[in-house]
Amino acid sequence: MNKAYETMRGFWLDVKNLQHKSDVPQLGQYKICIAGVEMAALDTKGKIKNLMIAASSLGNASVYYENNSASGLGGFTGGAANGPVREKALCLMQAAAKDAEQLTAVTHLLGQNDPQSVTLFAVSADGQLYAKEVKEAEVRNPQHPLYPFFAYTQQVLGAFRTEQAQAQAAAEKKETETDKK
């Protein structure tokens, strides 16, 4: 795992980053404030690259992924205002709070090294980390007990794509209007 990715990953896994905000909702019996998924993929050279989708109970979310750029990190953030990312981030948080009892309390989250598995995680208001590694093919089955949790992580990713497409369309429209003047 490269240092830039590890830094951003650490930020999301540390609930202390939210503790200065007095209005952070604590969801469910485990008082979940942060949740998401970590996945792995092989790059073109056969090297493992990690991807993390994380959200907070405030409705913000981020996606970070290792890549072969100079910084070694790509990603995007959003959801602070109304919009698709916020909506899906809040749905993810509700699913994570509901499903937290199916996760195991852990002291740290190991990086995902199996491209066929995913690690679902949640962080409580008191800093307790919960996690569970599952085969991706299994958790994609709507009958799997953690399916809603996983599905919303993927919907957060889709919401970022939607917001990006909307922003691009707005920029193109503005450019077209400027060219007409």
Side-chain angles (χ1 to χ4, degrees):
M1 183 178 316
N2 75 43
K3 186 66 176 165
Y5 177 84
E6 192 174 345
T7 298
M8 296 316 298
R9 179 183 191 264
F11 174 84
W12 275 99
L13 295 176
D14 186 354
V15 77
K16 291 180 196 139
N17 293 313
L18 293 177
Q19 289 178 340
H20 68 283
K21 299 184 182 213
S22 60
D23 58 344
V24 176
Q26 299 176 11
L27 307 175
Q29 74 181 49
Y30 291 90
K31 298 181 179 180
I32 300 301
C33 296
I34 298 169
V37 66
E38 188 165 43
M39 307 168 81
L42 294 174
D43 69 7
T44 57
K45 298 175 183 173
K47 186 175 178 186
I48 290 285
K49 299 291 184 187
N50 285 278
L51 172 130
M52 174 184 267
I53 302 168
S56 84
S57 58
L58 294 170
N60 58 325
S62 292
V63 175
Y64 294 105
Y65 52 90
E66 291 181 291
N67 61 28
N68 294 323
S69 70
S71 72
L73 182 70
F76 28 92
T77 62
N82 292 331
V85 171
R86 180 176 175 77
E87 176 187 331
K88 296 305 180 187
L90 292 172
C91 290
L92 164 59
M93 293 306 303
Q94 290 296 321
K98 180 178 172 278
D99 293 343
E101 65 187 24
Q102 297 177 59
L103 307 179
T104 302
V106 297
T107 57
H108 62 282
L109 193 65
L110 298 174
Q112 184 51 261
N113 289 314
D114 179 1
Q116 295 181 14
S117 295
V118 302
T119 302
L120 295 167
F121 65 87
V123 184
S124 71
D126 64 1
Q128 178 60 59
L129 178 61
Y130 300 92
K132 182 164 186 156
E133 183 175 319
V134 291
K135 293 291 183 190
E136 185 177 351
E138 293 173 14
V139 78
R140 285 189 179 276
N141 178 343
Q143 305 308 313
H144 193 283
L146 291 169
Y147 172 80
F149 186 165
F150 178 74
Y152 279 119
T153 67
Q154 302 309 290
Q155 288 182 27
V156 166
L157 184 59
F160 274 112
R161 289 182 182 145
T162 298
E163 284 190 357
Q164 181 183 17
Q166 289 171 345
Q168 185 174 352
E172 289 171 0
K173 180 180 178 185
K174 185 176 180 179
E175 186 176 308
T176 301
E177 290 172 355
T178 303
D179 288 346
K180 287 180 181 179
K181 292 182 181 179

